Amino acid sequence: MYFWNISKLKLDLVANKLTTLCDLKYLIATLALLSLSVTYSENSNLFDYLSTLVDICVLTFGTWFCYRVNGGKTSKDFLRRYLSIGWVVGIRFIVFSMPVVFATYFLFDFAGFEVLGDATLLDVGVTLFFSSFFYWRVFVHMKQVQLTDEKQAEFNK
C-alpha cells in the first residue's frame, strides 16, 4: 500500500501489479479516514470517541467480510459490487432506519432519559446496531451475487 510515492503507484497500476487485496486495503483506509473526519468539539465526551471507534471497527470488519464472501484474493469485481450494492443498501437503509432512530430517541426521551445533548451509551449502541445491520445487508446481497456468479460459471463450463 502506497502512502506517498505516486510515481511508483502509477507504475504498478500500469503494470497491473495491484491486486484485489490492495483494493480492499485502500478502500478500508479511505472509509476509516472518512469516519475519523467527524468534527469533535469541546463538548465531545468519551461516548463520541467510542462511537467513532465502534463505527471504524464495524466498517473494517464488515468490508473485510464482504471481500471474503466475494471470493477473497480471487474475487471478481469486488469494488464495483461493494460500492454499488452499498449505495443502494445505504439509500434504503436511510429511508427505513430514520423513523426507527427517531422513534427510539423519542421513546427514551419520553421515558425521562437525557438523549439530546452530550453523546451517551445509547448513541454508541445505535451506531453499533445500525452499522452492523447495514454491513450485514451488504454482505447478504454480495453473497447472493457471488453464488449466482458461481452457478453461471459452472453452467457455462
Side-chain angles (χ1 to χ4, degrees), residues 52-72:
T52 299
L53 179 63
V54 164
D55 196 36
I56 290 171
C57 289
V58 171
L59 84 81
T60 300
F61 289 112
T63 302
W64 174 255
F65 287 125
C66 288
Y67 173 76
R68 298 291 298 157
V69 77
N70 193 58

Side-chain angles (χ1 to χ4, degrees), residues 94-127:
I94 289 168
V95 169
F96 292 114
S97 68
M98 282 300 138
V100 174
V101 170
F102 289 134
T104 301
Y105 279 91
F106 175 79
L107 290 173
F108 272 81
D109 188 51
F110 186 74
F113 293 98
E114 181 79 27
V115 294
L116 299 177
D118 292 342
T120 65
L121 191 56
L122 174 64
D123 299 309
V124 176
V126 167
T127 298

Side-chain angles (χ1 to χ4, degrees), residues 3 9 12 20-21 23 25 32 69-70 72 74 82 98 108 130:
F3 290 91
L9 172 61
D12 284 354
T20 58
L21 185 57
D23 295 341
K25 289 175 184 177
V69 77
N70 193 58
T74 61
Y82 179 83
M98 282 300 138
F108 272 81
F130 283 105

Side-chain angles (χ1 to χ4, degrees), residues 19-157:
T19 65
T20 58
L21 185 57
C22 293
D23 295 341
L24 176 68
K25 289 175 184 177
Y26 281 110
L27 177 64
I28 288 175
T30 301
L31 292 173
L33 278 177
L34 288 173
S35 291
L36 286 173
S37 69
V38 173
T39 305
Y40 296 105
S41 69
E42 57 201 34
N43 297 335
S44 298
N45 63 24
L46 175 65
F47 294 114
D48 289 309
Y49 301 111
L50 185 58
S51 186
T52 299
L53 179 63
V54 164
D55 196 36
I56 290 171
C57 289
V58 171
L59 84 81
T60 300
F61 289 112
T63 302
W64 174 255
F65 287 125
C66 288
Y67 173 76
R68 298 291 298 157
V69 77
N70 193 58
K73 290 181 180 179
T74 61
S75 66
K76 178 180 174 185
D77 299 326
F78 169 69
L79 286 178
R80 180 176 303 129
R81 292 174 180 186
Y82 179 83
L83 294 173
S84 59
I85 289 171
W87 174 260
V88 174
V89 169
I91 296 296
R92 297 168 93 190
F93 180 77
I94 289 168
V95 169
F96 292 114
S97 68
M98 282 300 138
V100 174
V101 170
F102 289 134
T104 301
Y105 279 91
F106 175 79
L107 290 173
F108 272 81
D109 188 51
F110 186 74
F113 293 98
E114 181 79 27
V115 294
L116 299 177
D118 292 342
T120 65
L121 191 56
L122 174 64
D123 299 309
V124 176
V126 167
T127 298
L128 176 62
F129 176 77
F130 283 105
S131 293
S132 300
F133 184 79
F134 169 80
Y135 280 100
W136 171 66
R137 294 308 304 155
V138 173
F139 176 88
V140 165
H141 292 295
M142 288 194 70
K143 185 174 185 174
Q144 291 171 347
V145 170
Q146 181 62 20
L147 289 173
T148 302
D149 194 36
E150 289 172 359
K151 287 179 184 176
Q152 283 182 336
E154 195 174 293
F155 180 75
N156 290 334
K157 284 184 180 181

